[in-house]
Amino acid sequence: MKPDERLLLQAILDENDQVSWNCFEKWAAMTDLDNIEGGSYRLIPALYKRMIRISDDFTSKNRMKGIYRYFVYRNNLILHRTKEVLLALNANKIPYIVLKGGALLASYYEDKGIRPMNDLDILVDEPFIHETIKLLDHIGWKPMDKESVNVNHQAGHAITFINHDGIELDLHWHVIYQCCWDGADSAYWENTEKASLVEMDIHILNPTMQLFHTCAHGVRWNEMSAIRWIVDAMTIIEKRRKDIDWQLFLRETKNNKLTPTIKKAVGILHDDF
C-alpha cells in the first residue's frame, strides 16, 4: 500500500474528525485529481461524504462533488439496466445471489453514490448456468468474449455479459476464482439473507460470508489498485459486527484453502485500520 493510499483510507475511515481531516490535507497536498490512480479515484465519493461531515469548505470540494454525483448517476444506471435480468431470473425461478457492489449498496451503504460499481455481479446455482446463459441471450445480453461461453465450468468461475447500452453483468457459477471444485460454494448458498435492491427483494450473502468474500477477492492481484475492499470490509464490520460468525469465517478460510490470503487481509484490517 502506497503512502497516499494509506492517507486516503485513513481520511475516510478514521472516526476522529481531526485525524481524518489531517490525513485528508496531507493526501490532498500530494495528489493531482487529474492524474489520480483508478483505485483511489473510486474512493473519492466516500472521501467527499466524509469531508462534508467535517467542513463546508475543503480542497477540491466542487470537483469531488462532481465525481460523487457522476457515480450516483452511473450506479443508478447500472442498477436500472440490470433490473431486467433479476426480473427474468425470478420469472424463470432461477436461484441467484447478488454479490459485491450490488449487495453492499443493498444492505451496507445507504447512499447509492458512495460505492462506485463497474457492473452487477450475480451468482447462479451451477445446474442453472446453461439456462441462464440462454435467458440472457434472449433478453439481449451477450458475452463480451464469445469463446468464454464454451469454457469448461470447472476451469472458470464467471462470464462477463454486456447489453446494447454497454452495461456489464458478471454471471458467476463460483464465487471465487481460486475455488472452482464441486461443493466450493455450498457455504455461500447456506448463508444468505434478504435485502432490497431497485425495489426488489433479493438475496445477498450474510455478513460473515460477505466479509469473507470481500477479503478473499480484495487482496488478490489487480492491475488497478484494489484498496476499495478495505473500506467495504470495515463498513461490513462497523454495521454488522455482532452478526459475524468468526468460527464460520475461519472454517471457510480453511475449507477454501485460502489461509494465506485471508491472513493477509485480516492482518491489514487489524494492524492499520
Side-chain angles (χ1 to χ4, degrees):
M1 191 186 310
K2 295 180 290 187
D4 61 314
E5 293 176 332
R6 187 180 301 277
L7 285 170
L8 172 59
L9 288 164
Q10 290 172 333
I12 294 169
L13 293 170
D14 202 290
E15 295 178 352
N16 183 291
D17 285 352
Q18 189 60 56
V19 173
S20 174
W21 182 260
N22 291 343
C23 289
F24 167 69
E25 289 196 315
K26 291 177 183 177
W27 174 84
M30 61 193 302
T31 301
D32 176 7
L33 277 179
D34 289 327
N35 295 291
I36 190 171
E37 195 273 334
S40 295
Y41 181 77
R42 295 188 300 186
L43 287 176
I44 296 300
L47 179 65
Y48 168 72
K49 297 297 283 189
R50 179 70 178 99
M51 290 303 105
I52 60 173
R53 286 164 48 194
I54 301 174
S55 174
D56 289 330
D57 184 31
F58 50 87
T59 303
S60 302
K61 174 186 174 182
N62 290 336
R63 180 74 183 283
M64 291 167 61
K65 181 178 181 180
I67 295 170
Y68 160 74
R69 292 179 69 178
Y70 165 76
F71 281 117
V72 171
Y73 165 78
R74 178 68 179 169
N75 281 357
N76 280 323
L77 179 64
I78 291 171
L79 293 173
H80 176 72
R81 293 289 193 267
T82 54
K83 182 177 181 178
E84 66 173 355
V85 175
L86 304 183
L87 289 170
L89 291 172
N90 287 341
N92 287 271
K93 295 182 170 51
I94 296 175
Y96 68 90
I97 300 171
V98 175
L99 302 172
K100 299 184 184 180
L104 292 165
L105 288 179
S107 194
Y108 294 92
Y109 291 105
E110 295 86 0
D111 188 319
K112 286 294 185 290
I114 202 169
R115 203 285 187 184
M117 295 170 59
N118 299 323
D119 50 31
L120 185 71
D121 291 80
I122 58 172
L123 173 70
V124 168
D125 205 2
E126 192 165 7
F128 295 89
I129 196 69
H130 291 294
E131 181 183 350
T132 304
I133 290 171
K134 291 179 181 178
L135 178 62
L136 288 171
D137 180 73
H138 179 70
I139 61 176
W141 291 78
K142 308 299 181 184
M144 290 186 69
D145 177 5
K146 293 182 180 179
E147 294 300 318
S148 64
V149 298
N150 299 318
V151 72
N152 180 338
H153 292 153
Q154 292 187 343
H157 79 296
I159 299 173
T160 299
F161 288 79
I162 190 167
N163 74 352
H164 63 277
D165 293 320
I167 303 298
E168 296 180 18
L169 172 88
D170 276 0
L171 173 64
H172 293 250
W173 56 95
H174 291 299
V175 175
I176 300 177
Y177 80 99
Q178 304 104 307
C179 308
C180 297
W181 53 84
D182 289 343
D185 300 279
S186 59
Y188 298 103
W189 289 102
E190 293 165 2
N191 291 280
T192 65
E193 63 183 22
K194 289 184 177 180
S196 178
L197 188 67
V198 286
E199 301 177 338
M200 290 180 57
D201 290 333
I202 62 168
H203 282 92
I204 64 173
L205 300 175
N206 72 11
T208 304
M209 298 308 295
Q210 192 76 57
L211 180 62
F212 177 77
H213 183 208
T214 298
C215 290
H217 180 75
V219 296
R220 72 175 189 170
W221 182 88
N222 194 307
E223 61 184 32
M224 180 187 294
S225 177
I227 55 173
R228 177 174 63 179
W229 77 269
I230 295 171
V231 178
D232 288 342
M234 293 301 294
T235 300
I236 294 166
I237 293 170
E238 177 186 351
K239 296 287 181 69
R240 303 290 297 276
R241 182 187 301 270
K242 293 181 179 180
D243 299 319
I244 297 173
D245 180 347
W246 291 106
Q247 292 304 313
L248 173 61
F249 187 93
L250 290 169
R251 187 162 62 249
E252 285 310 300
T253 298
K254 190 174 183 179
N255 290 345
N256 284 274
K257 302 177 176 62
L258 290 174
T259 300
T261 300
I262 298 299
K263 182 178 180 180
K264 179 179 180 181
V266 173
I268 291 170
L269 298 178
H270 176 271
D271 295 343
D272 296 330
F273 301 101

